[in-house]
């Protein structure tokens, strides 16, 4: 189904080339100030065409609140949001009628539904994420205003260009104390200061090189987005099937083009000793009870412990590339698929607000 | 909540030291042969005390079918399953009344609920997984009998001892063709032939060394479990929030002690080029339509494409160790927690049937 | 939450005076012909201002399909529907700022949410039902096209003017065989032939009198809608909590202004003897297996048996009347609330398509 | 599925003749005193064989708490409850192999599942309600202890013998003020003082006559149970699909043998004028804000308003009777089904605790 969440629930609609995309956000607390201006910034951060690193396709993505507010204040009733599709050209990619595009959803959609949208990726299109980002922006506003929760994501690697904390974990089975400081202070302006959305200058330079090289090669490259949630209340998450990390994993792997999720020490934690990995409890300088290290990633037994929640999401290289690809047609004939035109050499920088939005939806859930 | 699944749904109950653990499995198809003998083997594979590598605590874990079958055939009604706790000693770990155990759920449960089970880990105990494994065994039987689906998991790494395909991906951005053959053929007898449940002899030897060394050091070590699902019908999974990989990630991260999930190329896919990562379509020798490579891991656009589904789950080193740990008491006093007695140096081999069970629950969902 | 259904699910948004109302319909089968023309008729039947019996407020209610179809065929993806509110005047009923309107939702909404829409009934407004009716129209089309299911509702009583079958049950503990024939043949053109939507001429005349008298008295009157579902597949409904009658009851009592639900023999069945109430099985003339009588209303043990499903829904007299009402203000001061202007003397005829729509949603669920 | 509720959820298992019946109750608040002694009384009130009016079959129904408490206090974890079936004789009713019993679930279960339990009614058996009643008893305890909520149900009619308030509504379109007093004060000891569970002496006598006459005739008779919920917090229920009355209707129609549900004025409200039916607001003697009359039944716009919630549930005459019934076999042959032995001439008195339990589950939801 096209819904996410239990008590704060978003339901989305819209394909790449229909009249519009949108969503209904149910469970929004009443009495909160809310206008389109609270939602638009994250939509604009998600939008293609923001920099020379991303696809030249410029989608305007202007959101309208249809219901659920009056005089700029939420009523506690469902909020309908719509974003018109300005570009409704049917049938943009004609060769894809013959060939299912490799590693796209063309083949699986056709098998599952018996029909598919004639152009673009249908619901697999990245435009589907507009609804989530809009719903996430509302959730973030509530979390920030009511609870002081901060959610910040950033590009942590593209290709082999990775921020130092990733290498520390991979090579030394630990993180430097500076990493915890960084998680405590990183904010969106810092992230957006570079078009890569990587807040480590040296890595950002490498990432730019990687992406531009792939663009030149008419190819694509993947990467990872890391996200931190600060000031999250203690006690979120359920002991068993709905552990907070399970909900986060579900949310993140529902984003198109994702391949993996890890939180806290993640896959690198598997090579550490228990005595090293366990986070000892400490009384902190401010009198609060907490942990000295945070390999647990802010969650123990599926339940938040008040430390920073942080996790990393893997994005594959985008399946749309501008190179010829040898493949096989629906009829079983080997041939060459030449996808024309535009493509996005790396989706990673644009994925940053999507990761933030899905994180906000999980915390609200 | 303590339920997983929508149309095939398991609901579990039970802590470590109450009268018993169990579950209700709802949505079991009618008319299927089913007795306790179909369920017990996976429970026995999950059970502690199976080999010198695991905890010496021997739990018998005999399952009883309370309802839902007659004359050994399912009725389509919910199946109640119970497993008595033979060891109901209250209050086994007295020092843990003073100190919340590092990286256990003691602290978060107490914060969330205001009470906690006086002994053991309550619902965070591994005994909670008994219900899931039982429900998974029923699901697996149905999937095998009705659809020919095979689910096989195995230990792919413990500490830094890892099977070759993992290194191939990490170092060479690809897998060898032998890996695909291996996924096509690996079965449970082969997996169980070694007590590590690692089906690669050389790696298995290394793993044994790693685990025994950690046991000697009264410490613990993590690892990864890889799982393959074969013959899965095309078309499972939903386009948007309930992509098959999202459901798998949710399921896997709900297993205690997990830190990460990746499918297909996973995190290593982030460093590949799109042109290399895309799986071209081919007409196979048997006439079927499929893909040449399988970096997609059997899922495209969230929907199964008929190729093998494979994924890898990260397990941290168990938080229970037999060494003294410097930490802080609930009262904020620094001190030393000496967990007495038994512990499991690596949970990875025992996690294998749990991963299989959760995979089966996802496919049935 | 604002969603109904599990595998076919509608989620609605919209208050009486925001930019628009609408819904997302998820789970619509792919490959079905669908345009606005399939949805509009039921919206028009629901619309106020259709005859001299209903409120003079004329709402146009033109629906637009935003997504989920291409070239007039459903894609299997969610269908977004919007209906603009032409009349967005804020603050229509100023005295209601002082007095909570008796038997409206003003007071309870304010208590629950702390805010309320300044005008009209917010989500309690009958405009909220537009989304349901639209979703129901799509469901009905599928049920008719794919399975031959017919759903027909009609006005069975208004005030004390009731169709003969109701009196037969109340007074004689039985129904005449003609009643079963009637259920087999009644159709929407027959229902719509009279503005009361009562398909029994004599009762229809009485109903018109009752309604016009109440209109004259600036008062309102309730009534009942009876609905029959024909050709419903055998086996729908779950044995326990989700019996088909439970889902129908849930659906019907979610319609504004409803007070009760009964199916088959209903409340009158409580005064019958078991030997009289039990429906004996028979082999019918067409060779099918069925029941001779149908006090069960087409459902046995919560599961459809292939006979006609029929049920009756009670609607209270509309709370909005044009007479002065003595009541008490939010401040606790006794006073007179004079609701100005228009009101609907009986909502029953307009409720007919809403009942049909909710019935269709249940059958699809 | 076999679950009810969202945040307080019961899942049941068990047929009439398997090893046992039981349930898992999830979402029970932590820190509440709870032992079997809190649950057993409602199970015993539900039990057959309590008086000469009910079936002679004596089922002991002793409940065991398997999990979720320690030292008699709830842990916030799921509570497993089991009740062994002492009478597991297979195949009690041999003629029913040939004839589907009229107005039982035999035929529909067989059509839906392809198999059916060889004896008794499987999940349609009244034994299935044991789990609900147990879960309801826990819910009631919490509601009473934490919020002061009182839930009291009683037999309001059997056959044509009905309490005076029912006739007042039917004949005079109103209720006497005494009825509101009665709803404010009725309690379970008063209800249980008579074996009919009808708290109006004159009606109770008539009911006894009716039931004994039907028992003599080897026949059965239905009736209605009325239930009042006092001190329910304001604001429960959702505006749209999950109105409190919709949840109550769903819950009540999920009880075996029910045919209808009405709340407040119910079906009789359809014949009243709006000016008469609207409940004016008043400031009460104790300073609270409320309504003068209560035709709304404690719910306005789907949301509780703090007044007493009351509703009435219709039960059909039990389908099991001890008379010969002419019907048709599965093979289509007309014949006579002679159900041997025991039957319950009226299920109404025993349904009282079931109605209370389902009401408690709805309030907790």
């Amino acid at each position: 189904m096209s819904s996410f969440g239990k008590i704060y629930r978003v339901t989305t609609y819209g394909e790449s080339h229909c009249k519009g995309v949108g969503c209904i956000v149910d469970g929004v607390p009443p009495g909160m100030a809310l206008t389109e201006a609270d939602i638009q910034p994250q939509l604009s951060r998600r939008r293609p065409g923001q920099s020379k690193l991303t696809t030249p396709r410029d989608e305007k993505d202007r959101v309208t609140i249809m219901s659920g507010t009056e005089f700029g204040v939420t009523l506690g009733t469902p909020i309908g949001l719509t974003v018109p599709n300005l570009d409704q050209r049917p049938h943009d990619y004609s060769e894809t009628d013959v060939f299912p595009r490799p590693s796209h959803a063309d083949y699986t959609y056709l098998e599952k539904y018996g029909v598919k949208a004639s152009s673009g990726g249908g619901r697999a299109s990245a435009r589907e994420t507009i609804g989530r980002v809009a719903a996430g922006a509302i959730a973030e506003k509530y979390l920030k205003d009511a609870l002081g929760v901060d959610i910040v994501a950033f590009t942590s690697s593209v290709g082999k260009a990775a921020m130092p904390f990733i290498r520390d974990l991979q090579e030394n089975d630990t993180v430097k104390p500076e990493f915890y400081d960084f998680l405590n202070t990183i904010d969106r302006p810092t992230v957006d200061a570079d078009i890569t959305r990587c807040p480590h200058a040296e890595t950002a330079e490498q990432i730019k090189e990687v992406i531009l090289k792939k663009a030149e090669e008419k190819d694509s490259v993947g990467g990872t987005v890391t996200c931190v949630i600060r000031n999250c209340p203690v006690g979120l998450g359920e002991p068993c099937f709905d552990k907070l990390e399970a909900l986060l994993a579900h949310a993140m792997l529902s984003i198109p083009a994702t391949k993996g999720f890890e939180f806290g020490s993640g896959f690198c934690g598997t090579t550490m000793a228990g005595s090293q990995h366990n986070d000892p409890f400490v009384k902190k300088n401010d009198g609060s009870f907490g942990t000295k290290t945070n390999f647990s990633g802010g969650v123990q037994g599926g339940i938040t412990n008040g430390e920073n929640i942080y996790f990393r999401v893997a994005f594959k290289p985008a399946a749309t590339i501008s190179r010829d690809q040898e493949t096989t047609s629906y009829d079983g004939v080997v041939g060459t698929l030449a996808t024309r035109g535009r493509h996005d050499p790396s989706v990673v920088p644009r994925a940053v607000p999507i990761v933030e939005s899905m994180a906000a939806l999980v915390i609200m859930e």
Side-chain angles (χ1 to χ4, degrees), chain A residues 8 11 14 21 59-60 65 83-84 114 118 130 159 193 200 202 237 250 263 271 285 297 308 311-313 344 364:
Chain A
Y8 182 94
T11 304
V21 299
E59 307 170 49
K60 290 290 186 280
I65 296 176
V83 174
S118 71
I130 289 176
H200 182 260
E202 198 183 326
H250 187 146
F263 75 105
T271 62
N285 291 338
N308 289 335
F311 56 87
R312 198 159 73 104
V313 184
D344 198 342
M364 287 299 283

Side-chain angles (χ1 to χ4, degrees), chain A residues 174 180 276-280 282 290-296 307:
Chain A
T174 191
Y180 294 131
Q276 178 189 14
H277 191 274
N278 280 356
D279 296 314
V282 289
T291 65
K292 194 170 163 184
T293 51
N294 185 11
F295 294 113
S296 295
E307 301 294 323

